[in-house]
């Protein structure tokens, strides 16, 4: 297992600048691909552009014979649209789900699990339960990621 994420990196930048050294050189069998949602949302591009970038990334991996599981990104706190993007954050989550469906890629929907966990809580209750700051989850959020990824690996006969 190699964590080859790059902080604050949108999908297109990761695949254009880091893919060869951080993924291809390792010749992985399987890639658990977090969808880069927050970073791509912050670019200000439309959600459909984001989906196209995810589809391109998944396709690039698949062409090399790499199995992909796409992981949705956690919900966020704070402003959900402007001043960060004229499109709401949730529209980017929907596009990541569509990218998985479009490419017939298994989806690990950690976002849905986390949203269910905080449903009915106000922002301070959600922050206390799940978040380290507005855009990053705490240890419980990372546990949800880990457990849901493990389940996705198992359900797809990878482990």
């Amino acid at each position: 297992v190699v964590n080859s994420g790059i902080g604050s990196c949108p999908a297109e930048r990761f695949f254009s600048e880091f893919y060869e050294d951080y993924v291809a050189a390792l010749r992985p069998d399987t890639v658990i691909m977090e969808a880069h949602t927050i970073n791509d949302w912050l670019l200000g591009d439309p959600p459909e552009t984001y989906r196209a970038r995810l589809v391109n990334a998944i396709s690039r991996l698949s062409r090399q014979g790499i199995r992909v599981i796409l992981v949705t990104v956690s919900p966020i706190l704070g402003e959900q649209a402007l001043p960060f993007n004229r499109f709401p954050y949730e529209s980017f989550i929907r596009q990541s789900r569509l990218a998985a469906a479009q490419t017939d890629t298994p989806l690990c929907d950690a976002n849905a699990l986390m949203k269910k966990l905080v449903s009915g809580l106000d922002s301070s209750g959600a922050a206390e339960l799940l978040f380290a700051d507005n855009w990053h989850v705490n240890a419980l959020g990372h546990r949800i990621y880990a457990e849901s990824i493990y389940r996705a690996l198992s359900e797809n006969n990878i482990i």
Side-chain angles (χ1 to χ4, degrees):
V1 174
V2 177
N3 178 355
S4 64
I6 305 295
S8 301
C9 188
E12 187 171 52
R13 181 172 160 239
F14 180 86
F15 279 85
S16 67
E17 294 181 26
F18 302 106
Y19 178 80
E20 290 302 322
D21 291 335
Y22 285 69
V23 180
L26 300 172
R27 299 183 6 218
D29 176 70
T30 303
V31 167
I32 309 301
M33 184 178 147
E34 186 184 52
H36 301 257
T37 308
I38 296 170
N39 299 327
D40 279 88
W41 174 69
L42 290 171
L43 286 177
D45 292 334
E48 296 77 16
T49 300
Y50 166 62
R51 177 170 35 97
R53 290 175 179 151
L54 289 178
V55 167
N56 286 339
I58 293 166
S59 297
R60 183 173 183 181
L61 291 162
S62 297
R63 281 192 306 272
Q64 294 187 344
I66 300 169
R67 291 182 294 196
V68 179
I69 294 178
L70 186 66
V71 181
T72 58
V73 179
S74 70
I76 60 170
L77 296 175
E79 295 298 327
Q80 300 290 306
L82 293 174
F84 303 107
N85 192 315
R86 63 189 170 111
F87 298 100
Y89 177 77
E90 186 60 33
S91 64
F92 285 75
I93 297 295
R94 281 192 299 276
Q95 293 298 319
S96 62
R97 292 179 180 122
L98 289 172
Q102 183 178 338
T103 57
D104 198 27
T105 298
L107 181 69
C108 174
D109 202 346
N111 176 277
L113 296 170
M114 292 181 204
K115 281 181 73 172
K116 183 176 180 180
L117 181 67
V118 298
S119 71
L121 297 177
D122 63 13
S123 61
S124 66
E128 186 175 326
L129 179 63
L130 189 62
F131 293 91
D133 61 37
N134 279 353
W135 295 344
H136 298 91
V137 294
N138 60 19
L140 176 59
H142 287 287
R143 180 177 177 172
I144 292 168
Y145 276 129
E147 289 175 352
S148 61
I149 290 167
Y150 180 84
R151 193 168 35 258
L153 288 167
S154 179
E155 289 170 357
N156 288 281
N157 299 314
I158 297 171
I159 57 170

